[in-house]
Amino acid sequence: MAKTPTLSSFRRVVVKVGSSLLVDSAAGGLKRAWLTSLAADIAALHGEKRDVLVVSSGAIALGRAVLGLPRGALKLEEAQAAAAVGQIALARAWAEALGAHKLTAGQVLVTLGDTEERRRYLNARSTVAKLLEWRSVPVINENDTVATSEIRYGDNDRLAARVATMMSADLLVLLSDVDGLYDKPPGEGSGAKLVPVVARISPEIEAMAGASGSELSRGGMVTKIEAGKIATTAGTHMVIASGHVPHPLQAIAEGAPCTWFLTPANPVTARKKWIAGSLEPRGALVIDAGAVRALRSGASLLPAGVIKVEGAFQRGDAVVVRGPDGAEIGRGLVAYDAADAEQIKGRSSADVMLILGYTGRTEIIHRDDLALGGE
Ligand code: GLU
């Protein structure tokens, strides 16, 4: 059996929290004591210099509780309006719980398009990256009040997996009301066994997932397996564990039952492979010898090192990077479109704002977005 990783071996962790953990549907309110214990676990990880992101469900469930809506299914506009009320309460609860550990929470509400459409994806990614650079904890949810059925994730399991891959996280923790994947539907006398490690999501694993789900959460095991596919193909490990215990992250670290979905790749390598192999280059940047040396020693490409701009690419497109002799050095995602790149080539980063009239990224290709030949 493959060895399970330990929590402390990860550098960037996304923790997804299901509605039923945060909201007590019977008593109609937030489970504050539990949230306090989770916030303490998050603070401990954060204190060990880890980046932590939270994907929190609960807007609709909490809104329903605050408004005192009767049990039963809500119509779409009711669910969206309930989310408007619940999201404020949710954000406040997170800000307070994290604030007690001197952590700043930053609320990020996204729709499907923000993670799928390239420009918006790049934008969302840089905003969240900035929050992490400031050592804040992004608290992310779907923008339920405005998302329409066509542009909706509908479940936070897949949203969390997309966020994890978007931010090149190396671990996604799904805290929910189940403690992992069982080899058959669990229940009294079923003899179902928890699967501790899934090395690869095979059709047999998918068959085990069945189609169950609790009343509050939309994501049953099926969406968790979908999330696992998104995460593990992009180089992010995933673990499903029960949140029905205080200090749920500490519990995982101490060996509580859970299911690990392992990825064969690491996120940076997976991303670079994708840049180098899967994208059609839309142009090229020819760079000088000094820039070639800088890139090979791990630096980003700055406008100053660019000699020539070829092609009609857009911001976010893949481009080929060539040395002064025309030989391909690598490929990367460019941070400016071709017209702007043409204007700032050879110029210092300080000049860029004066030339373009706006502050873009300092790098024309960030090193995380650059795959050098042979990497
Ligand atoms: N975004 C929804 C909410 O906050 C939750 C979706 C889910 O449970 O996965 O209510």
Side-chain angles (χ1 to χ4, degrees):
M1 198 206 318
K3 211 169 141 307
T4 55
T6 55
L7 269 195
S8 55
S9 52
F10 299 97
R11 111 201 114 72
R12 182 168 287 178
V13 181
V14 175
V15 181
K16 184 259 170 176
V17 184
S19 300
S20 54
L21 300 175
L22 276 170
V23 183
D24 186 334
S25 56
L30 193 73
K31 296 184 184 168
R32 237 172 251 285
W34 181 81
L35 176 58
T36 303
S37 81
L38 173 60
D41 288 3
I42 291 174
L45 264 183
H46 191 272
E48 291 167 10
K49 301 270 181 297
R50 303 298 191 279
D51 292 336
V52 187
L53 300 91
V54 172
V55 172
S56 178
S57 305
I60 299 173
L62 198 53
R64 187 197 263 275
V66 173
L67 291 160
L69 300 178
R71 292 179 79 108
L74 296 177
K75 294 205 198 76
L76 179 66
E77 68 273 21
E78 290 171 338
Q80 295 196 292
V85 172
Q87 183 61 40
I88 287 191
L90 192 61
R92 177 172 178 177
W94 276 106
E96 284 174 2
L98 293 170
H101 298 273
K102 306 229 169 344
L103 298 179
T104 13
Q107 175 181 253
V108 183
L109 298 179
V110 293
T111 56
L112 184 64
D114 297 318
T115 61
E116 302 274 304
E117 201 230 305
R118 195 181 44 225
R119 260 167 183 271
R120 282 156 64 193
Y121 173 95
L122 289 174
N123 233 359
R125 189 160 62 109
S126 7
T127 308
V128 176
K130 186 53 78 181
L131 284 169
L132 295 173
E133 194 187 307
W134 288 341
R135 302 296 294 139
S136 296
V137 177
V139 177
I140 303 162
N141 195 1
E142 184 159 21
N143 196 344
D144 292 314
T145 44
V146 297
T148 64
S149 53
E150 305 81 58
I151 55 154
R152 201 171 159 72
Y153 274 99
D155 71 85
N156 277 0
D157 295 327
R158 281 175 304 166
L159 172 67
R162 282 294 284 168
V163 166
T165 63
M166 177 170 90
M167 299 317 296
S168 303
D170 42 10
L171 178 64
L172 166 62
V173 183
L174 296 185
L175 294 178
S176 74
D177 43 14
V178 290
D179 49 11
L181 176 71
Y182 282 81
D183 58 357
K184 50 179 120 144
E188 203 76 23
S190 68
K193 282 197 232 29
L194 183 84
V195 180
V197 182
V198 173
R200 197 178 65 84
I201 300 176
S202 60
E204 294 75 50
I205 294 293
E206 292 192 58
M208 288 176 196
S212 64
S214 85
E215 189 198 340
L216 283 177
S217 101
R218 289 161 176 275
M221 196 48 78
V222 175
T223 62
K224 290 185 175 47
I225 299 288
E226 284 303 316
K229 283 195 209 160
I230 298 170
T232 56
T233 46
T236 305
H237 293 294
M238 184 176 98
V239 58
I240 300 179
S242 169
H244 282 307
V245 287
H247 296 287
L249 298 181
Q250 194 187 322
I252 299 173
E254 288 168 357
C258 57
T259 302
W260 284 90
F261 293 78
L262 303 182
T263 176
N266 90 45
V268 177
T269 324
R271 185 172 159 72
K272 293 197 172 187
K273 242 192 236 150
W274 172 71
I275 292 169
S278 317
L279 298 171
E280 185 63 34
R282 303 278 172 209
L285 297 177
V286 181
I287 64 173
D288 63 26
V292 173
R293 273 195 302 279
L295 297 195
R296 292 215 164 113
S297 64
S300 297
L301 178 62
L302 302 178
V306 178
I307 319 170
K308 195 163 166 229
V309 175
E310 296 167 2
F313 49 84
Q314 298 289 315
R315 175 181 171 224
D317 277 343
V319 294
V320 174
V321 180
R322 297 187 194 287
D325 57 355
E328 177 167 337
I329 308 290
R331 292 176 181 209
L333 301 183
V334 65
Y336 291 92
D337 66 25
D340 286 353
E342 183 60 45
Q343 289 193 66
I344 61 175
K345 70 170 195 228
R347 306 297 290 262
S348 75
S349 300
D351 284 348
V352 169
M353 152 119 181
L354 293 174
I355 298 168
L356 298 180
Y358 67 88
T359 21
R361 290 187 75 151
T362 324
E363 311 86 16
I364 195 158
I365 300 179
H366 190 275
R367 61 181 167 170
D368 290 349
D369 295 337
L370 184 72
L372 296 183
E375 257 189 347

